[in-house]
Amino acid sequence: MIEINTLSHSFAIGKKGNERKIPVLEEITLHVKQGEIAAILGKSGSGKSTLLNILAGFMVPESGVVAVGGQEISSLKESEMADFRLKNFGFIFQSFQLMPGLNAFENIELPLKIKGMKAPERRAVVEKLMMEVGLSEVASHYPNELSGGQQQRVSIARALITNPPVILADEPTGSLDSETEQEILDLIRSLNRNLGVTFVIITHDDEVAGIANRQYRLHDGKLVKGVQRHAI
Amino acid sequence: MQFKDQLGFIGQHMKRNKLRVATTILAATMGCAFLIVLASVGFGLHKTLSDDILENRTVTKIEVPGKEDSDSVITPQEAEAMRGIPHVKAVAERSRPQAEGEARLGERSAYADLVFVQYGNEEKAGLALSDGAMPAAEGEVLVGYHFAQSLVTEEEQENAAEGEELDGFAGSLVGQTFEIELKPFEGEGEPVIREFTVAGVTEEPAKDWMMDSSIYADASWSKIIAKSLGTEETPREVLVYADELQYVEGITEKLKKDGYYVYSVTEELGSMNMFFTLLKAGLIFVGTIAILIASIGIFNTMTMAVTERTREIGVMKAIGAQPKLIQRLFLMESAAIGIIGTVLAVIISYGISMLANWLVPMIVMSSLGEEETGDFNILISVIPWQLVAISAAISIGVAMISGWRPARKATQIDVIQALRQEL
C-alpha cells in the first residue's frame, strides 16, 4: 500500500548563500501493506513528523520515492496532491485540529462538503458514522463543549468519513489521559479490523505502538529497526 | 464543494466577525452611495434640461428651412420625396405672404399672421380643431385658437395700454366673415384686401404660454395674393413629422445627407448630451475614489480574516481542499461585502435622491419668496438603472480586487506551519 524507498531529506538553516544543510531523514526505506497498522516510533527530533509530512504530501522530499497505492506522490502538483489527499488519506492530529466554528456533525461533514457531496446524502453518511464511533449524542456540540476523547473521536470520524484507504495519525493520543488513550486505541483497532483501513501512526509512545502490526523505529533520521510484530 | 455550501461557509465566517464585517460593509455602502448620489446629480440635471427641451416643442417635428447648396426653394417634388422616407408621418409645407397684414371684423381688428398651408398634410401632421370644421369652400380659412382673443376694439386697446386685460371677440368665430388688408413689405404696391370666412378654430396649444393667432389659408391663395401684391412667392418652409421620437435622429441624418438645412430636437439634444456625458463620467470618476477608499477597509478585513483563519485554512488544505477553492471562498467573502454594501447603497441612494428632489425645490422656492413650486420642475437627482449597474460593477469589482491579494495569500499558506498554530 505504502512504499518508501531510499527517502532522504534535509533542512537548510542560516542565511541564503551561506546555508547549512541538516539531514533529517537518511535513506529511509519502508513498506506498509494494505490493512496494516504501522507505527513509526522515535524520540522528539528523530524525523518521524517530517516522514509523515512527506508521506502526506505536505512536503516534497529531496530524494527517494514515496508511492501510495502505486501512485508516486512526490511528483504530483499541488492541486493534484490535494485531490489525492481527499481521496486517499484521512488525518488524525495530536491537537485534533477541529474547526472551532463548526459543531461535531459539521466538522465530520467537512471533507464530504469539500468533495462536493449533496446535503441529504451527506447527512445519512455522517449520522451513520457518528453512531458507529459513539458521537450521536454530541452531534450539535462545538469543539469547546467536548472532552478531549470526544474531540479525538470527532477527528477520527472526520478522517474516516470519505472512506480513505489510509489514515495518517500524528500522536493520536498525545493530548489524552491514559484512560481515554486506551479508548481511542481500541477504536483505531476496531476500525482497522472492521473496515480494513491502513493506519500509519507516528508516536513516541511504545504503548500506542503496541497496537501496530508493524513497527519502525527512527533515530536521528535513520531507520534503525523495522519489526513485524504480528500478521494482519 | 457545492455552491450552496460555499455560501454557507462564508456566511458562517462573516457571522463570527459580525462587527468587523459590519463596519467594512458600512464603508463599502458609504463609498457606493456617495458615487450613486454624486452621479445622480449629473443625471438629474441632464434629465431636467432634456425634459425642458422636449416639453417646449413638438419633439417629432423636423424643420427643413431650405437647401444647403443654393437659395432655391424646396420644390413640391422634393417635399413629396421626403414623404417617402421611412417613418415620416407627414410633410407640411407652409409659406407666408411678403406683406404685413391686418384682420378686421366689424369694429375689431388684429395683426394678421397669414399662413398658407395644405390642409390635408396639416391634418396628417396632427392639426386638430376645437370648433367648426376643415375648410371646404373657397374663401374659407382656419384661425388659431387665440385669434378671437386678439381681435380687439380701439377702446380695448387703449384700456390694455393702461393695464386692463384684453377680452377680444366673445362667442364663436365659426361662420364669421372678416377681411384682411395686406401691405407689401417692399415696393410701392397697393394694399390688397380680401375677405375670408372662418370654417374652424384650431385646438388650444399644449402649453399655457403658447399663442396661436394665425390665419391658415389654403396654399392656392399664395400665388393669387403674391400676384395681387406684385411680390414674389415666398419659399416654402417644410416641416417633416416623424412617427415617433426615436426615428427623428435617423430622418434628420437622411435629410442632411440629401443636402437640406435641417433642425430637429435631436440636434439640440446632441451637443447637450455630449456635455452631460462628460460631466457624468467625471462625477462617476470622483465617486469611484470614495469606493477605492472603502476598498482599503475590505483589504484590511480580508487580510485579518486570512491571518486569523490560518490554522483552519491549513486543516482544509490538509484534508484535501484545492487551493482554488480556498481562494474562491475568500474572494466570495469580499464579493459578498461588496454586494451587501451595494444593495444597501442603492436603497439609501434612492432615499437620498427622493429627499433631495422633494426638499431642494422647496428650499429654492422659499429662498425666492414663492410658496408654490408650480412649474418649477427641477430634478436634482435621478438614478437610472444604468447608474445602478455601473456603480454595482465598480463597487463589487473593487471589493473583489481588494480581496484578491488576501485570497492569494490564503492559498499560499503552508499546511505544516498552519497546523502548528495554537488554537
Side-chain angles (χ1 to χ4, degrees), chain A residues 77-119:
Chain A
K77 288 179 194 160
E78 194 186 4
S79 60
E80 290 170 338
M81 192 62 230
D83 200 38
F84 188 83
R85 273 200 295 269
L86 186 62
K87 287 175 184 157
N88 294 282
F89 292 144
F91 291 92
I92 303 170
F93 301 100
Q94 181 181 352
S95 51
F96 323 127
Q97 301 291 8
L98 301 177
M99 298 287 199
L102 305 180
N103 63 29
F105 183 96
E106 291 163 340
N107 262 291
I108 297 168
E109 185 187 36
L110 186 60
L112 296 180
K113 274 189 177 176
I114 291 171
K115 221 173 173 182
M117 192 185 276
K118 286 182 179 166

mmCIF file of all heavy atoms in Angstrom, chain A residues 77-119:
data_model
loop_
_atom_site.group_PDB
_atom_site.id
_atom_site.type_symbol
_atom_site.label_atom_id
_atom_site.label_comp_id
_atom_site.label_asym_id
_atom_site.label_seq_id
_atom_site.Cartn_x
_atom_site.Cartn_y
_atom_site.Cartn_z
ATOM 1 N N LYS A 77 1.464 17.660 -8.657
ATOM 2 C CA LYS A 77 1.343 19.109 -8.469
ATOM 3 C C LYS A 77 0.485 19.372 -7.231
ATOM 4 O O LYS A 77 -0.219 18.479 -6.767
ATOM 5 C CB LYS A 77 0.637 19.738 -9.680
ATOM 6 C CG LYS A 77 1.480 19.783 -10.915
ATOM 7 C CD LYS A 77 0.625 20.397 -12.024
ATOM 8 C CE LYS A 77 1.267 20.161 -13.368
ATOM 9 N NZ LYS A 77 0.316 20.299 -14.453
ATOM 10 N N GLU A 78 0.486 20.641 -6.774
ATOM 11 C CA GLU A 78 -0.233 20.972 -5.540
ATOM 12 C C GLU A 78 -1.721 20.597 -5.624
ATOM 13 O O GLU A 78 -2.261 19.975 -4.709
ATOM 14 C CB GLU A 78 -0.090 22.460 -5.238
ATOM 15 C CG GLU A 78 -0.521 22.806 -3.819
ATOM 16 C CD GLU A 78 -0.517 24.291 -3.531
ATOM 17 O OE1 GLU A 78 -0.253 25.083 -4.440
ATOM 18 O OE2 GLU A 78 -0.802 24.649 -2.363
ATOM 19 N N SER A 79 -2.337 20.945 -6.750
ATOM 20 C CA SER A 79 -3.775 20.661 -6.868
ATOM 21 C C SER A 79 -4.024 19.157 -6.999
ATOM 22 O O SER A 79 -5.012 18.633 -6.473
ATOM 23 C CB SER A 79 -4.372 21.407 -8.056
ATOM 24 O OG SER A 79 -3.732 21.004 -9.234
ATOM 25 N N GLU A 80 -3.124 18.465 -7.683
ATOM 26 C CA GLU A 80 -3.274 17.004 -7.816
ATOM 27 C C GLU A 80 -3.091 16.336 -6.458
ATOM 28 O O GLU A 80 -3.790 15.374 -6.115
ATOM 29 C CB GLU A 80 -2.224 16.459 -8.798
ATOM 30 C CG GLU A 80 -2.479 16.858 -10.237
ATOM 31 C CD GLU A 80 -1.316 16.515 -11.156
ATOM 32 O OE1 GLU A 80 -0.165 16.361 -10.664
ATOM 33 O OE2 GLU A 80 -1.544 16.446 -12.368
ATOM 34 N N MET A 81 -2.147 16.881 -5.680
ATOM 35 C CA MET A 81 -1.885 16.317 -4.353
ATOM 36 C C MET A 81 -3.096 16.521 -3.436
ATOM 37 O O MET A 81 -3.452 15.623 -2.666
ATOM 38 C CB MET A 81 -0.634 16.985 -3.760
ATOM 39 C CG MET A 81 -0.088 16.311 -2.520
ATOM 40 S SD MET A 81 0.448 14.614 -2.814
ATOM 41 C CE MET A 81 -0.379 13.765 -1.477
ATOM 42 N N ALA A 82 -3.734 17.711 -3.554
ATOM 43 C CA ALA A 82 -4.921 17.988 -2.737
ATOM 44 C C ALA A 82 -6.009 16.965 -3.058
ATOM 45 O O ALA A 82 -6.653 16.414 -2.155
ATOM 46 C CB ALA A 82 -5.420 19.406 -3.006
ATOM 47 N N ASP A 83 -6.182 16.700 -4.341
ATOM 48 C CA ASP A 83 -7.181 15.739 -4.773
ATOM 49 C C ASP A 83 -6.825 14.327 -4.281
ATOM 50 O O ASP A 83 -7.693 13.575 -3.831
ATOM 51 C CB ASP A 83 -7.232 15.778 -6.316
ATOM 52 C CG ASP A 83 -8.519 15.201 -6.845
ATOM 53 O OD1 ASP A 83 -9.558 15.448 -6.204
ATOM 54 O OD2 ASP A 83 -8.489 14.488 -7.858
ATOM 55 N N PHE A 84 -5.530 14.027 -4.356
ATOM 56 C CA PHE A 84 -5.068 12.705 -3.916
ATOM 57 C C PHE A 84 -5.329 12.522 -2.426
ATOM 58 O O PHE A 84 -5.766 11.452 -1.983
ATOM 59 C CB PHE A 84 -3.565 12.558 -4.231
ATOM 60 C CG PHE A 84 -3.039 11.170 -4.002
ATOM 61 C CD1 PHE A 84 -3.174 10.180 -4.968
ATOM 62 C CD2 PHE A 84 -2.435 10.834 -2.799
ATOM 63 C CE1 PHE A 84 -2.708 8.895 -4.743
ATOM 64 C CE2 PHE A 84 -1.964 9.553 -2.564
ATOM 65 C CZ PHE A 84 -2.098 8.576 -3.541
ATOM 66 N N ARG A 85 -5.027 13.574 -1.663
ATOM 67 C CA ARG A 85 -5.252 13.508 -0.202
ATOM 68 C C ARG A 85 -6.725 13.292 0.106
ATOM 69 O O ARG A 85 -7.082 12.490 0.966
ATOM 70 C CB ARG A 85 -4.802 14.811 0.462
ATOM 71 C CG ARG A 85 -3.339 14.827 0.840
ATOM 72 C CD ARG A 85 -3.048 15.881 1.898
ATOM 73 N NE ARG A 85 -3.281 17.221 1.418
ATOM 74 C CZ ARG A 85 -2.339 17.977 0.848
ATOM 75 N NH1 ARG A 85 -1.117 17.504 0.682
ATOM 76 N NH2 ARG A 85 -2.611 19.185 0.446
ATOM 77 N N LEU A 86 -7.578 14.029 -0.601
ATOM 78 C CA LEU A 86 -9.023 13.931 -0.353
ATOM 79 C C LEU A 86 -9.529 12.500 -0.581
ATOM 80 O O LEU A 86 -10.384 12.016 0.160
ATOM 81 C CB LEU A 86 -9.762 14.915 -1.280
ATOM 82 C CG LEU A 86 -11.262 15.082 -1.085
ATOM 83 C CD1 LEU A 86 -11.576 15.619 0.304
ATOM 84 C CD2 LEU A 86 -11.854 16.008 -2.130
ATOM 85 N N LYS A 87 -8.958 11.839 -1.599
ATOM 86 C CA LYS A 87 -9.446 10.503 -1.943
ATOM 87 C C LYS A 87 -8.758 9.390 -1.162
ATOM 88 O O LYS A 87 -9.339 8.326 -0.956
ATOM 89 C CB LYS A 87 -9.237 10.259 -3.446
ATOM 90 C CG LYS A 87 -10.208 11.049 -4.297
ATOM 91 C CD LYS A 87 -9.894 10.876 -5.757
ATOM 92 C CE LYS A 87 -10.826 11.751 -6.582
ATOM 93 N NZ LYS A 87 -10.246 12.047 -7.877
ATOM 94 N N ASN A 88 -7.502 9.618 -0.766
ATOM 95 C CA ASN A 88 -6.714 8.503 -0.222
ATOM 96 C C ASN A 88 -6.341 8.602 1.246
ATOM 97 O O ASN A 88 -5.970 7.588 1.842
ATOM 98 C CB ASN A 88 -5.437 8.336 -1.048
ATOM 99 C CG ASN A 88 -5.752 7.908 -2.464
ATOM 100 O OD1 ASN A 88 -6.037 6.746 -2.722
ATOM 101 N ND2 ASN A 88 -5.745 8.866 -3.382
ATOM 102 N N PHE A 89 -6.361 9.788 1.804
ATOM 103 C CA PHE A 89 -5.886 9.946 3.183
ATOM 104 C C PHE A 89 -6.963 10.485 4.127
ATOM 105 O O PHE A 89 -7.779 11.316 3.736
ATOM 106 C CB PHE A 89 -4.706 10.929 3.254
ATOM 107 C CG PHE A 89 -3.437 10.432 2.610
ATOM 108 C CD1 PHE A 89 -2.596 11.310 1.944
ATOM 109 C CD2 PHE A 89 -3.067 9.102 2.696
ATOM 110 C CE1 PHE A 89 -1.410 10.883 1.354
ATOM 111 C CE2 PHE A 89 -1.879 8.658 2.106
ATOM 112 C CZ PHE A 89 -1.059 9.549 1.430
ATOM 113 N N GLY A 90 -6.866 10.003 5.354
ATOM 114 C CA GLY A 90 -7.590 10.634 6.445
ATOM 115 C C GLY A 90 -6.541 11.036 7.455
ATOM 116 O O GLY A 90 -5.501 10.388 7.555
ATOM 117 N N PHE A 91 -6.770 12.131 8.173
ATOM 118 C CA PHE A 91 -5.757 12.607 9.113
ATOM 119 C C PHE A 91 -6.286 12.663 10.537
ATOM 120 O O PHE A 91 -7.406 13.128 10.774
ATOM 121 C CB PHE A 91 -5.273 14.016 8.726
ATOM 122 C CG PHE A 91 -4.478 14.033 7.462
ATOM 123 C CD1 PHE A 91 -5.096 14.250 6.240
ATOM 124 C CD2 PHE A 91 -3.106 13.812 7.484
ATOM 125 C CE1 PHE A 91 -4.373 14.259 5.067
ATOM 126 C CE2 PHE A 91 -2.364 13.818 6.308
ATOM 127 C CZ PHE A 91 -3.002 14.039 5.091
ATOM 128 N N ILE A 92 -5.450 12.169 11.455
ATOM 129 C CA ILE A 92 -5.766 12.330 12.881
ATOM 130 C C ILE A 92 -4.573 13.079 13.478
ATOM 131 O O ILE A 92 -3.421 12.647 13.328
ATOM 132 C CB ILE A 92 -5.942 10.969 13.584
ATOM 133 C CG1 ILE A 92 -7.045 10.154 12.886
ATOM 134 C CG2 ILE A 92 -6.270 11.164 15.065
ATOM 135 C CD1 ILE A 92 -7.128 8.703 13.341
ATOM 136 N N PHE A 93 -4.873 14.223 14.109
ATOM 137 C CA PHE A 93 -3.795 15.056 14.654
ATOM 138 C C PHE A 93 -3.787 14.981 16.175
ATOM 139 O O PHE A 93 -4.833 14.775 16.804
ATOM 140 C CB PHE A 93 -3.984 16.519 14.230
ATOM 141 C CG PHE A 93 -4.013 16.718 12.741
ATOM 142 C CD1 PHE A 93 -5.228 16.870 12.067
ATOM 143 C CD2 PHE A 93 -2.850 16.739 11.999
ATOM 144 C CE1 PHE A 93 -5.265 17.064 10.707
ATOM 145 C CE2 PHE A 93 -2.875 16.936 10.625
ATOM 146 C CZ PHE A 93 -4.086 17.094 9.970
ATOM 147 N N GLN A 94 -2.607 15.234 16.726
ATOM 148 C CA GLN A 94 -2.481 15.229 18.192
ATOM 149 C C GLN A 94 -3.414 16.260 18.828
ATOM 150 O O GLN A 94 -4.081 15.988 19.816
ATOM 151 C CB GLN A 94 -1.027 15.533 18.564
ATOM 152 C CG GLN A 94 -0.803 15.524 20.065
ATOM 153 C CD GLN A 94 0.645 15.843 20.422
ATOM 154 O OE1 GLN A 94 1.513 15.926 19.574
ATOM 155 N NE2 GLN A 94 0.901 15.991 21.712
ATOM 156 N N SER A 95 -3.456 17.475 18.206
ATOM 157 C CA SER A 95 -4.302 18.528 18.800
ATOM 158 C C SER A 95 -5.664 18.604 18.078
ATOM 159 O O SER A 95 -6.277 19.664 18.022
ATOM 160 C CB SER A 95 -3.573 19.857 18.744
ATOM 161 O OG SER A 95 -3.112 20.094 17.432
ATOM 162 N N PHE A 96 -6.095 17.501 17.536
ATOM 163 C CA PHE A 96 -7.426 17.291 16.928
ATOM 164 C C PHE A 96 -7.674 18.134 15.668
ATOM 165 O O PHE A 96 -8.275 17.668 14.737
ATOM 166 C CB PHE A 96 -8.565 17.518 17.938
ATOM 167 C CG PHE A 96 -8.264 17.052 19.339
ATOM 168 C CD1 PHE A 96 -8.406 17.895 20.432
ATOM 169 C CD2 PHE A 96 -7.798 15.758 19.557
ATOM 170 C CE1 PHE A 96 -8.117 17.462 21.714
ATOM 171 C CE2 PHE A 96 -7.502 15.315 20.852
ATOM 172 C CZ PHE A 96 -7.647 16.166 21.933
ATOM 173 N N GLN A 97 -7.277 19.385 15.692
ATOM 174 C CA GLN A 97 -7.434 20.309 14.539
ATOM 175 C C GLN A 97 -8.881 20.355 14.052
ATOM 176 O O GLN A 97 -9.153 20.235 12.852
ATOM 177 C CB GLN A 97 -6.505 19.895 13.388
ATOM 178 C CG GLN A 97 -5.043 19.877 13.733
ATOM 179 C CD GLN A 97 -4.449 21.265 13.971
ATOM 180 O OE1 GLN A 97 -5.155 22.264 14.016
ATOM 181 N NE2 GLN A 97 -3.144 21.322 14.188
ATOM 182 N N LEU A 98 -9.804 20.552 15.012
ATOM 183 C CA LEU A 98 -11.216 20.710 14.620
ATOM 184 C C LEU A 98 -11.482 22.190 14.355
ATOM 185 O O LEU A 98 -10.813 23.057 14.898
ATOM 186 C CB LEU A 98 -12.140 20.198 15.725
ATOM 187 C CG LEU A 98 -11.964 18.724 16.099
ATOM 188 C CD1 LEU A 98 -12.892 18.360 17.254
ATOM 189 C CD2 LEU A 98 -12.230 17.808 14.913
ATOM 190 N N MET A 99 -12.485 22.437 13.527
ATOM 191 C CA MET A 99 -12.868 23.832 13.228
ATOM 192 C C MET A 99 -13.693 24.352 14.396
ATOM 193 O O MET A 99 -14.775 23.799 14.672
ATOM 194 C CB MET A 99 -13.712 23.888 11.950
ATOM 195 C CG MET A 99 -12.997 23.399 10.734
ATOM 196 S SD MET A 99 -11.769 24.608 10.233
ATOM 197 C CE MET A 99 -11.491 24.106 8.570
ATOM 198 N N PRO A 100 -13.236 25.400 15.067
ATOM 199 C CA PRO A 100 -13.951 25.860 16.265
ATOM 200 C C PRO A 100 -15.364 26.387 15.977
ATOM 201 O O PRO A 100 -16.235 26.321 16.832
ATOM 202 C CB PRO A 100 -13.057 26.973 16.812
ATOM 203 C CG PRO A 100 -12.180 27.380 15.680
ATOM 204 C CD PRO A 100 -12.038 26.198 14.793
ATOM 205 N N GLY A 101 -15.590 26.867 14.753
ATOM 206 C CA GLY A 101 -16.902 27.437 14.421
ATOM 207 C C GLY A 101 -17.906 26.403 13.947
ATOM 208 O O GLY A 101 -19.054 26.745 13.651
ATOM 209 N N LEU A 102 -17.471 25.156 13.842
ATOM 210 C CA LEU A 102 -18.380 24.102 13.380
ATOM 211 C C LEU A 102 -18.647 23.120 14.516
ATOM 212 O O LEU A 102 -17.742 22.836 15.311
ATOM 213 C CB LEU A 102 -17.760 23.342 12.200
ATOM 214 C CG LEU A 102 -17.313 24.147 10.978
ATOM 215 C CD1 LEU A 102 -16.737 23.219 9.912
ATOM 216 C CD2 LEU A 102 -18.482 24.930 10.391
ATOM 217 N N ASN A 103 -19.861 22.612 14.574
ATOM 218 C CA ASN A 103 -20.160 21.623 15.603
ATOM 219 C C ASN A 103 -19.625 20.246 15.164
ATOM 220 O O ASN A 103 -19.078 20.118 14.058
ATOM 221 C CB ASN A 103 -21.660 21.588 15.939
ATOM 222 C CG ASN A 103 -22.527 21.179 14.754
ATOM 223 O OD1 ASN A 103 -22.089 20.435 13.889
ATOM 224 N ND2 ASN A 103 -23.756 21.674 14.738
ATOM 225 N N ALA A 104 -19.802 19.247 16.026
ATOM 226 C CA ALA A 104 -19.218 17.930 15.761
ATOM 227 C C ALA A 104 -19.685 17.382 14.409
ATOM 228 O O ALA A 104 -18.886 16.914 13.599
ATOM 229 C CB ALA A 104 -19.600 16.972 16.883
ATOM 230 N N PHE A 105 -20.987 17.477 14.185
ATOM 231 C CA PHE A 105 -21.558 16.978 12.929
ATOM 232 C C PHE A 105 -20.905 17.686 11.730
ATOM 233 O O PHE A 105 -20.473 17.055 10.763
ATOM 234 C CB PHE A 105 -23.081 17.217 12.919
ATOM 235 C CG PHE A 105 -23.769 16.684 11.702
ATOM 236 C CD1 PHE A 105 -24.369 15.432 11.734
ATOM 237 C CD2 PHE A 105 -23.827 17.428 10.534
ATOM 238 C CE1 PHE A 105 -25.005 14.932 10.610
ATOM 239 C CE2 PHE A 105 -24.459 16.930 9.409
ATOM 240 C CZ PHE A 105 -25.058 15.680 9.453
ATOM 241 N N GLU A 106 -20.845 19.033 11.818
ATOM 242 C CA GLU A 106 -20.317 19.821 10.688
ATOM 243 C C GLU A 106 -18.824 19.560 10.471
ATOM 244 O O GLU A 106 -18.348 19.574 9.322
ATOM 245 C CB GLU A 106 -20.560 21.314 10.934
ATOM 246 C CG GLU A 106 -22.038 21.689 10.856
ATOM 247 C CD GLU A 106 -22.359 23.034 11.480
ATOM 248 O OE1 GLU A 106 -21.539 23.535 12.310
ATOM 249 O OE2 GLU A 106 -23.427 23.571 11.170
ATOM 250 N N ASN A 107 -18.095 19.328 11.579
ATOM 251 C CA ASN A 107 -16.669 19.024 11.442
ATOM 252 C C ASN A 107 -16.466 17.718 10.680
ATOM 253 O O ASN A 107 -15.613 17.624 9.801
ATOM 254 C CB ASN A 107 -16.017 18.926 12.818
ATOM 255 C CG ASN A 107 -15.326 20.233 13.193
ATOM 256 O OD1 ASN A 107 -14.317 20.605 12.598
ATOM 257 N ND2 ASN A 107 -15.885 20.924 14.176
ATOM 258 N N ILE A 108 -17.268 16.731 11.031
ATOM 259 C CA ILE A 108 -17.132 15.421 10.372
ATOM 260 C C ILE A 108 -17.563 15.511 8.904
ATOM 261 O O ILE A 108 -16.992 14.883 8.022
ATOM 262 C CB ILE A 108 -17.977 14.356 11.127
ATOM 263 C CG1 ILE A 108 -17.419 14.196 12.553
ATOM 264 C CG2 ILE A 108 -17.994 13.021 10.398
ATOM 265 C CD1 ILE A 108 -18.305 13.410 13.491
ATOM 266 N N GLU A 109 -18.551 16.361 8.680
ATOM 267 C CA GLU A 109 -19.131 16.529 7.342
ATOM 268 C C GLU A 109 -18.197 17.271 6.373
ATOM 269 O O GLU A 109 -18.312 17.138 5.140
ATOM 270 C CB GLU A 109 -20.425 17.350 7.543
ATOM 271 C CG GLU A 109 -21.256 17.572 6.361
ATOM 272 C CD GLU A 109 -22.404 18.537 6.660
ATOM 273 O OE1 GLU A 109 -22.206 19.494 7.444
ATOM 274 O OE2 GLU A 109 -23.478 18.328 6.110
ATOM 275 N N LEU A 110 -17.248 18.039 6.930
ATOM 276 C CA LEU A 110 -16.434 18.954 6.112
ATOM 277 C C LEU A 110 -15.757 18.304 4.897
ATOM 278 O O LEU A 110 -15.859 18.824 3.778
ATOM 279 C CB LEU A 110 -15.406 19.658 7.015
ATOM 280 C CG LEU A 110 -14.564 20.743 6.362
ATOM 281 C CD1 LEU A 110 -15.430 21.862 5.806
ATOM 282 C CD2 LEU A 110 -13.560 21.320 7.359
ATOM 283 N N PRO A 111 -15.077 17.151 5.051
ATOM 284 C CA PRO A 111 -14.443 16.565 3.860
ATOM 285 C C PRO A 111 -15.448 16.204 2.770
ATOM 286 O O PRO A 111 -15.136 16.304 1.584
ATOM 287 C CB PRO A 111 -13.764 15.299 4.413
ATOM 288 C CG PRO A 111 -13.585 15.561 5.864
ATOM 289 C CD PRO A 111 -14.761 16.380 6.265
ATOM 290 N N LEU A 112 -16.668 15.825 3.177
ATOM 291 C CA LEU A 112 -17.694 15.488 2.179
ATOM 292 C C LEU A 112 -18.156 16.745 1.445
ATOM 293 O O LEU A 112 -18.457 16.696 0.249
ATOM 294 C CB LEU A 112 -18.891 14.804 2.853
ATOM 295 C CG LEU A 112 -18.613 13.459 3.519
ATOM 296 C CD1 LEU A 112 -19.888 12.895 4.142
ATOM 297 C CD2 LEU A 112 -18.049 12.463 2.515
ATOM 298 N N LYS A 113 -18.213 17.855 2.199
ATOM 299 C CA LYS A 113 -18.562 19.132 1.560
ATOM 300 C C LYS A 113 -17.502 19.485 0.526
ATOM 301 O O LYS A 113 -17.822 19.880 -0.594
ATOM 302 C CB LYS A 113 -18.611 20.251 2.608
ATOM 303 C CG LYS A 113 -19.933 20.387 3.306
ATOM 304 C CD LYS A 113 -19.929 21.647 4.153
ATOM 305 C CE LYS A 113 -21.265 21.870 4.811
ATOM 306 N NZ LYS A 113 -21.234 23.030 5.709
ATOM 307 N N ILE A 114 -16.237 19.337 0.930
ATOM 308 C CA ILE A 114 -15.137 19.660 0.006
ATOM 309 C C ILE A 114 -15.219 18.761 -1.221
ATOM 310 O O ILE A 114 -14.950 19.182 -2.335
ATOM 311 C CB ILE A 114 -13.774 19.536 0.734
ATOM 312 C CG1 ILE A 114 -13.652 20.656 1.776
ATOM 313 C CG2 ILE A 114 -12.605 19.583 -0.245
ATOM 314 C CD1 ILE A 114 -12.464 20.532 2.693
ATOM 315 N N LYS A 115 -15.620 17.518 -0.987
ATOM 316 C CA LYS A 115 -15.743 16.562 -2.088
ATOM 317 C C LYS A 115 -16.903 16.903 -3.027
ATOM 318 O O LYS A 115 -16.953 16.472 -4.163
ATOM 319 C CB LYS A 115 -15.986 15.161 -1.492
ATOM 320 C CG LYS A 115 -15.224 14.075 -2.181
ATOM 321 C CD LYS A 115 -15.367 12.771 -1.449
ATOM 322 C CE LYS A 115 -14.727 11.673 -2.282
ATOM 323 N NZ LYS A 115 -14.868 10.389 -1.662
ATOM 324 N N GLY A 116 -17.852 17.708 -2.517
ATOM 325 C CA GLY A 116 -18.971 18.138 -3.359
ATOM 326 C C GLY A 116 -20.208 17.273 -3.235
ATOM 327 O O GLY A 116 -21.103 17.336 -4.085
ATOM 328 N N MET A 117 -20.286 16.466 -2.153
ATOM 329 C CA MET A 117 -21.467 15.611 -1.970
ATOM 330 C C MET A 117 -22.675 16.454 -1.561
ATOM 331 O O MET A 117 -22.517 17.451 -0.858
ATOM 332 C CB MET A 117 -21.165 14.569 -0.879
ATOM 333 C CG MET A 117 -22.185 13.456 -0.797
ATOM 334 S SD MET A 117 -21.871 12.349 0.594
ATOM 335 C CE MET A 117 -20.681 11.244 -0.105
ATOM 336 N N LYS A 118 -23.839 16.046 -2.021
ATOM 337 C CA LYS A 118 -25.049 16.833 -1.708
ATOM 338 C C LYS A 118 -25.491 16.613 -0.259
ATOM 339 O O LYS A 118 -25.243 15.550 0.318
ATOM 340 C CB LYS A 118 -26.175 16.451 -2.660
ATOM 341 C CG LYS A 118 -25.934 17.017 -4.049
ATOM 342 C CD LYS A 118 -27.059 16.672 -4.972
ATOM 343 C CE LYS A 118 -26.784 17.275 -6.334
ATOM 344 N NZ LYS A 118 -27.647 16.728 -7.355
ATOM 345 N N ALA A 119 -26.179 17.626 0.288
ATOM 346 C CA ALA A 119 -26.516 17.650 1.708
ATOM 347 C C ALA A 119 -27.292 16.423 2.222
ATOM 348 O O ALA A 119 -26.902 15.839 3.243
ATOM 349 C CB ALA A 119 -27.261 18.939 2.038
#
